[in-house]
Amino acid sequence: VVIAYTSVYGHTRAAAELLAKKLEERGCPKVSVTDLARDDMPEAVEDAFRYGTLVLASTTYNAEVFPPMREFIQHLAERGYKNRTVAFIENGSWAPTAAKVMKGLLEGCKGLSFAEPTVRILSALNAESEAQLDALADELCRN
């Protein structure tokens, strides 16, 4: 499982890291976490093609996604990303739209299946969003 995230204040990063921990606790054999704003973009793209499952975690930014996430997804789409499972974590204070935007950017990619639930964080993790992370970890470990 590759977890690719962008985080402005650290809350989306915390969710990505918590999901990685939950996946490892459930016995997922390999989990890779990458910060798209700080880590090597070509390496992140390479990892997305190397693994069968991708989790995209992004802050809602001006009703869009944070620019490094948009760039990452565009790299995937331009290179024919296909036949994988994709999950979403979105963060936003009052109107999170990141998951919808990310899914739209992947529209032309063939053979993708989308895991549920989409995790919704309203600024910072709380009991509800942590429960969604648990449900997502369960779903991803079944695949």
Side-chain angles (χ1 to χ4, degrees), residues 5-27:
Y5 73 89
T6 59
S7 187
V8 176
Y9 299 109
H11 300 296
T12 308
R13 179 187 68 230
E17 291 171 350
L18 182 57
L19 178 61
K21 180 180 175 195
K22 290 175 181 293
L23 291 169
E24 290 166 355
E25 288 171 352
R26 286 165 173 77

Side-chain angles (χ1 to χ4, degrees), residues 33-126:
V33 180
T34 187
D35 179 343
L36 297 173
R38 290 169 184 81
D39 295 338
D40 186 64
M41 184 66 72
E43 189 173 318
V45 171
E46 181 181 333
D47 279 350
F49 279 92
R50 186 179 298 138
Y51 294 86
T53 301
L54 174 64
V55 178
L56 299 173
S58 183
T59 310
T60 298
Y61 184 78
N62 292 334
E64 273 278 339
V65 292
F66 203 57
M69 178 60 75
R70 174 176 279 286
E71 178 186 353
F72 176 68
I73 295 172
Q74 287 172 333
H75 283 301
L76 298 180
E78 290 167 357
R79 287 161 181 77
Y81 193 70
K82 63 182 178 181
N83 299 330
R84 286 174 174 77
T85 300
V86 179
F88 301 104
I89 300 172
E90 66 180 358
N91 192 348
S93 295
W94 54 88
T97 60
K100 178 181 173 185
V101 172
M102 291 184 287
K103 194 171 189 178
L105 291 169
L106 291 167
E107 222 168 49
C109 299
K110 301 199 182 312
L112 298 182
S113 61
F114 298 102
E116 291 294 333
T118 292
V119 177
R120 176 174 274 191
I121 301 165
L122 299 175
S123 294
L125 285 168
N126 60 24

